[in-house]
């Protein structure tokens, strides 16, 4: 019988860990919690040379960039790990702090961060993600980054710097909040790869309910370890850029730091083993503190925390109460559909391109919007995909809106696409209707079509007469068409549509013109 796994306790949800780690798990171990009198140091990961971060300039040596990540996700929980204090974003400073959180005299020994140092929940896993490539970014390249370990730990307090008063204030609302730390090995080589891997992990955590993982609210923070070297030479000295809370800033910070290190080395300088932060206003990294010399964080076991035992079906003790044990296999069976599976289904069910499936999942709420439109429209899935990803998403990005803030509902877009599918309106008229819907005036697509008189002409005889009149008015264009000029037919179609105030179907116009010009 397999031995149960022993991990150091830090509480919180654990089912995400069972999925992400597809590698080995620990056997029996020692006591659970560890504590340190200082902040935990950066993980010691073995860096491996990868591809160059950018193309070298002519006459210069190639440079290889190496990027590893430490990701901290706030666990979805109503209370902190070891106290009953509530967890709530944007609460007044120090309003959610218990005596234990503040380490006041009389509480159990505290004043240190409880983390998993020797026996994390999971090790040796991997995370698959995809990046765009090609001139039009229409090519999808699948990549994998190794997961060194996943562990649980407490969050620390937050420093609030008041530059006007030259003082720093401390907010302990976050102290003791449960964090899931995922350490990614340095298998990435640029900001885009790192940001995409983080986004994929974010989607997984949100799907599983492990964390809301909202970077804007500080529920997902990233530290990036970065170094550069010449291929075939020893790895360079790395720097750590701390507390990146935006995928866009993460990519910018990494790419800036890579280029900064290259410039520094090419100008005869040296790279310091230091911690840096990213100034998003200036778009550059700035020093925080150096890391010269190995720091002793004095990790010791936490005697007040019992072991956390993880079982699988083979190691589960006979007669064990299912409510009192953690069974990895049982948890795995209850996992919801994961993002990678959803993307594959979209591709198979709707004939969707891989890059389209990526976009639908990467934009919060966009997949649900798409699926609701599909339910209510007769239009082909490819048509729906095009409208959602091009027109709808384009309007959102132009005004910097989230899907939840859209003035156009799935039902309204579905009705618009039904009008287009029935050839009640043309494609250009449909875009005009969509723009009107965006104005939040409460009108339906049908009402807008009626008010703007955008219906396509259904009287073929009238349309044939307009085509005949247009040909008589523009004999030179007709002659060009007869002489084989491919642009001439488009010119005639445009002229007829202008005469109909764009209310005629270009396909029908073309059919009529070709019939009239045929021998």
């Amino acid at each position: 019988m397999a031995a149960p796994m022993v991990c150091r306790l830090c509480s919180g949800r654990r089912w995400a860990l069972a999925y992400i780690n597809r590698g080995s798990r620990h056997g029996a171990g020692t006591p659970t919690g560890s504590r340190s009198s200082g902040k935990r140091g950066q993980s010691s990961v073995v860096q491996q040379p990868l591809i160059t971060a950018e193309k070298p300039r002519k006459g210069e040596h190639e440079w290889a960039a190496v990027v590893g990540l430490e990701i901290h996700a706030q666990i979805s929980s109503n209370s902190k790990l070891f106290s009953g204090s509530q967890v709530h974003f944007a609460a007044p400073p120090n309003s959610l702090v218990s005596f234990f959180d503040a380490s006041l005299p009389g509480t159990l020994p505290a004043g240190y961060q409880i983390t998993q140092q020797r026996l994390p929940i999971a090790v040796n896993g991997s995370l698959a993600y995809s990046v765009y490539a090609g001139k039009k970014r229409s090519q999808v390249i699948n990549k994998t980054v190794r997961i060194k370990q996943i562990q649980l730990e407490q969050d620390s307090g937050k420093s609030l710097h008041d530059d006007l008063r030259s003082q720093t204030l401390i907010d302990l609302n976050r102290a003791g909040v449960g964090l899931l730390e995922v350490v990614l090995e340095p298998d990435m080589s640029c900001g885009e790869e790192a940001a995409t891997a983080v986004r994929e992990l974010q989607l997984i955590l949100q799907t599983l309910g492990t964390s809301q993982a909202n970077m804007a609210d500080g529920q997902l923070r990233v530290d990036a370890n970065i170094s550069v070297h010449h291929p075939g030479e020893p790895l360079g000295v790395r720097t750590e850029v701390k507390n990146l809370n935006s995928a866009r800033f993460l990519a910018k910070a990494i790419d800036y730091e890579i280029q900064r290190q290259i410039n520094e080395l090419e100008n005869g300088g040296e790279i310091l083993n230091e911690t840096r932060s990213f100034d998003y206003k200036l778009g550059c990294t700035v020093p925080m503190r150096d890391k010269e010399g190995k720091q002793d964080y004095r990790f010791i076991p936490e005697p007040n925390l019992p072991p956390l035992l993880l079982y699988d079906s083979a190691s589960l003790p006979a007669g064990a109460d299912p409510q009192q044990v953690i069974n990895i296999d049982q948890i795995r069976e209850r996992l919801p559909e994961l993002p990678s599976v959803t993307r594959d289904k979209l591709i198979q069910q709707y004939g969707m391109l891989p890059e389209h499936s990526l976009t639908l999942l990467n934009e919060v709420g966009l997949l649900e919007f798409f699926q609701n439109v599909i339910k209510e429209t007769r239009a082909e899935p490819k048509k729906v995909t095009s409208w959602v990803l091009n027109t709808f998403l384009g309007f959102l990005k132009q005004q910097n809106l989230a899907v939840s803030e859209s003035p156009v509902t799935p039902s309204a877009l579905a009705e618009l696409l039904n009008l287009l599918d029935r050839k009640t309106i043309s494609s250009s008229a449909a875009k005009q209707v969509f723009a009107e819907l965006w104005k939040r005036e409460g009108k339906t697509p049908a009402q807008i079509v009626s008010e703007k008189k955008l219906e396509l002409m259904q009287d073929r005889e009238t349309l044939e007469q307009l085509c005949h009149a247009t040909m008589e008015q523009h004999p030179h264009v007709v002659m060009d068409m007869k002489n084989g000029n491919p642009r001439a037919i488009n010119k005639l179609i445009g002229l007829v549509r202008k005469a109909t105030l764009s209310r005629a179907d270009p396909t029908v116009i073309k059919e009529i013109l070709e019939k009239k010009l045929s021998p």
Side-chain angles (χ1 to χ4, degrees):
M1 179 179 292
M5 294 165 285
V6 182
C7 303
R8 290 184 296 102
L9 180 64
C10 222
S11 184
R13 298 186 179 185
R14 284 164 287 274
W15 44 93
L17 311 178
Y19 163 69
I20 299 174
N21 175 47
R22 295 192 290 270
S24 65
R25 295 200 283 260
H26 288 290
T30 54
T32 54
S34 283
R35 63 189 185 193
S36 80
S37 56
K39 188 177 180 183
R40 183 182 52 80
Q42 68 175 34
S43 64
S44 55
V45 294
V46 180
Q47 297 181 330
Q48 295 183 352
L50 295 169
I51 62 174
T52 56
E54 64 172 27
K55 291 182 179 179
R57 292 186 290 269
K58 189 174 181 179
E60 296 178 336
H61 294 294
E62 286 187 351
W63 288 98
V66 177
V67 180
L69 300 176
E70 297 171 17
I71 304 165
H72 298 84
Q74 182 177 311
I75 296 169
S76 293
S77 174
N78 293 325
S79 64
K80 298 182 181 181
L81 286 180
F82 304 117
S83 79
S85 297
Q86 289 186 338
V87 177
H88 180 64
F89 177 71
N94 296 311
S95 63
L96 303 176
V97 185
S98 69
F99 293 149
F100 179 82
D101 300 330
S103 305
L104 295 180
T107 62
L108 287 172
Y112 45 78
Q113 182 186 32
I114 296 178
T115 185
Q116 291 182 300
Q117 187 226 356
R118 287 175 296 172
L119 293 174
I121 289 287
V123 297
N124 300 335
S126 62
L127 173 68
Y129 65 100
S130 302
V131 294
Y132 295 116
K135 291 183 178 180
K136 296 183 178 180
R137 298 179 63 79
S138 59
Q139 181 184 357
V140 175
I141 298 179
N142 297 322
K143 290 180 173 288
T144 301
V145 56
R146 292 169 297 149
I147 298 175
K148 184 186 184 213
Q149 63 189 52
I150 296 175
Q151 61 195 49
L152 297 166
E153 67 180 24
Q154 288 177 305
D155 204 346
S156 56
K158 181 180 180 181
S159 299
L160 304 172
H161 304 292
D162 189 338
D163 294 332
L164 294 177
R165 299 182 182 180
S166 299
Q167 61 182 3
T168 296
L169 306 176
I170 304 297
D171 180 9
L172 294 179
N173 279 350
R174 273 190 351 202
V177 170
L179 294 180
L180 173 78
E181 180 177 10
V182 181
V183 181
L184 301 185
E185 297 277 23
D187 297 339
M188 295 156 285
S189 62
C190 66
E192 182 183 12
E193 288 184 8
T196 306
V198 168
R199 177 56 181 147
E200 183 68 16
L201 178 62
Q202 184 184 36
L203 283 173
I204 292 172
L205 296 178
Q206 291 170 339
T207 301
L208 298 176
T210 307
S211 172
Q212 295 180 21
N214 188 330
M215 298 189 81
D217 292 348
Q219 296 167 342
L220 189 72
R221 307 190 296 274
V222 184
D223 301 337
N225 294 293
I226 307 156
S227 70
V228 300
H229 66 283
H230 292 305
E233 296 183 3
L235 299 176
V237 176
R238 68 179 173 181
T239 60
E240 182 180 30
V241 182
K242 299 283 289 184
N243 293 326
L244 296 160
N245 62 356
S246 154
R248 184 163 59 94
F249 291 158
L250 170 65
K252 285 187 174 182
I254 290 173
D255 289 339
Y256 173 87
E257 183 60 18
I258 289 172
Q259 196 56 51
R260 184 194 71 82
Q261 292 186 19
I262 291 174
N263 292 341
E264 185 72 25
L265 294 170
E266 288 185 343
N267 290 324
E270 63 176 344
I271 305 302
L272 301 178
N273 181 214
E274 62 183 353
T275 299
R276 301 175 72 89
S277 64
F278 181 67
D279 188 322
Y280 70 92
K281 292 181 180 178
L282 298 177
C284 65
T285 62
V286 293
M288 290 176 64
R289 60 180 182 270
D290 66 61
K291 295 185 177 182
E292 291 185 8
K294 186 175 181 180
Q295 300 181 44
D296 181 8
Y297 291 96
R298 294 187 288 175
F299 285 104
I300 58 174
E302 170 53 78
N304 294 303
L305 295 179
L308 172 64
L309 301 178
L310 305 180
Y311 298 93
D312 56 20
S313 297
S315 63
L316 190 67
D321 183 353
Q323 301 298 321
Q324 301 298 320
V325 296
I326 299 173
N327 185 336
I328 295 295
D329 291 333
Q330 191 177 63
I331 292 172
R332 183 181 288 110
E333 291 174 0
R334 299 200 303 264
L335 288 177
E337 182 175 283
L338 293 166
S340 59
V341 177
T342 302
R343 284 192 291 262
D344 288 341
K345 284 187 176 180
L346 288 171
I347 293 170
Q348 294 170 8
Q349 185 174 356
Y350 301 120
M352 191 177 293
L353 294 174
E355 57 266 27
H356 292 164
S357 68
L358 280 171
T359 304
L360 280 178
L361 266 74
N362 283 346
E363 298 290 336
V364 177
L366 192 60
L367 176 61
E368 183 181 2
F369 186 96
F370 169 82
Q371 290 173 330
N372 287 334
V373 175
I374 285 285
K375 290 176 185 176
E376 299 186 45
T377 186
R378 298 167 42 189
E380 291 292 323
K382 287 186 179 180
K383 178 72 73 175
V384 178
T385 301
S386 176
W387 271 82
V388 170
L389 296 185
N390 297 323
T391 306
F392 177 72
L393 189 57
F395 269 70
L396 287 178
K397 290 188 176 298
Q398 189 176 29
Q399 298 187 23
N400 197 27
L401 296 176
V403 174
S404 59
E405 299 171 311
S406 166
V408 177
T409 65
S411 296
L413 181 55
E415 181 184 342
L416 175 59
L417 293 178
N418 283 338
L419 292 173
L420 188 59
D421 185 67
R422 292 196 297 264
K423 298 188 182 300
T424 303
I425 56 176
S426 65
S427 295
S428 60
K431 291 180 180 179
Q432 189 176 341
V433 173
F434 186 88
E436 291 295 321
L437 288 171
W438 202 265
K439 294 179 180 179
R440 302 176 187 262
E441 294 179 351
K443 298 176 182 177
T444 66
Q447 288 173 331
I448 295 172
V449 168
S450 178
E451 290 177 7
K452 300 287 184 180
K453 297 181 178 178
L454 298 173
E455 303 96 335
L456 283 174
M457 290 181 62
Q458 303 299 329
D459 187 343
R460 187 179 179 95
E461 184 178 347
T462 301
L463 187 55
E464 286 181 348
Q465 291 173 359
L466 281 171
C467 288
H468 181 74
T470 301
M471 291 171 63
E472 287 188 338
Q473 294 167 9
H474 301 85
H476 60 287
V477 181
V478 175
M479 186 59 67
D480 286 344
M481 184 176 172
K482 289 181 176 180
N483 291 334
N485 186 345
R487 296 182 180 179
I489 186 70
N490 294 330
K491 176 70 172 177
L492 284 174
I493 292 173
L495 290 169
V496 175
R497 293 199 71 226
K498 184 178 180 181
T500 63
L501 301 177
S502 298
R503 294 178 57 196
D505 188 342
T507 304
V508 177
I509 297 173
K510 184 179 181 182
E511 178 187 329
I512 293 172
L513 290 172
E514 288 177 339
K515 184 177 180 181
K516 286 184 173 294
L517 291 168
S518 61

